[in-house]
Amino acid sequence: QVQLVESGGGLVQAGGSMGLSCAVSGLTFSDYVMGWFRQAPGQDREFVAAIRWINDHTFYRNSVKGRFTISRDNAKNMLYLQMNSLKPEDTAEYYCARSRSTIAVVADISRSYDVWGQGTQVTVSS
């Protein structure tokens, strides 16, 4: 059974940094895409970043490019999201997810993913 468990959320001031982690168990990564999504209250879940496990190709939403970095550690079965220069609009519940398929994955839509973590709250104060 595949499980994803996020950690690292909390409260940070605008302009600060925060790192999120996602522990992955029960999964052989193969060529899956692993992603980070976020959801603010009253809003739809939105794509943040993704990484293709087999070749490290990364994808970002425009508003986080240059500020956020997605990475992974095969040996530790971990997925990370380093967030710098945080803004109040980054406030949301953050989720890691695994793609439903290993081929033709559209990385920036939530329906491409079928395994989700429970989420971790990130709050950026102004």
Side-chain angles (χ1 to χ4, degrees):
Q1 182 178 357
V2 179
Q3 279 193 318
L4 307 179
V5 180
E6 302 95 337
S7 61
L11 175 65
V12 63
Q13 287 190 330
S17 297
M18 180 178 289
L20 302 182
S21 300
C22 175
V24 185
S25 61
L27 171 68
T28 55
F29 291 106
S30 184
D31 197 20
Y32 287 105
V33 174
M34 297 295 295
W36 286 98
F37 285 75
R38 66 188 181 188
Q39 187 168 19
Q43 298 187 19
D44 292 335
R45 188 169 297 188
E46 66 180 20
F47 170 75
V48 176
I51 186 167
R52 192 162 198 100
W53 208 265
I54 200 170
N55 59 15
D56 261 357
H57 285 175
T58 56
F59 313 86
Y60 296 94
R61 72 178 296 107
N62 285 338
S63 64
V64 308
K65 283 181 181 177
R67 299 190 298 123
F68 290 13
T69 302
I70 187 172
S71 62
R72 48 79 165 161
D73 186 324
N74 276 0
K76 297 180 179 179
N77 285 355
M78 295 292 293
L79 177 72
Y80 303 103
L81 184 69
Q82 179 62 37
M83 305 182 291
N84 299 327
S85 302
L86 282 160
K87 305 175 181 180
E89 52 263 42
D90 295 318
T91 295
E93 188 85 3
Y94 282 71
Y95 300 88
C96 61
R98 187 210 71 177
S99 65
R100 189 180 305 274
S101 173
T102 60
I103 58 174
V105 177
V106 181
D108 60 351
I109 58 174
S110 60
R111 65 176 180 268
S112 292
Y113 300 81
D114 63 346
V115 181
W116 295 83
Q118 83 289 348
T120 186
Q121 177 68 35
V122 173
T123 302
V124 185
S125 63
S126 56

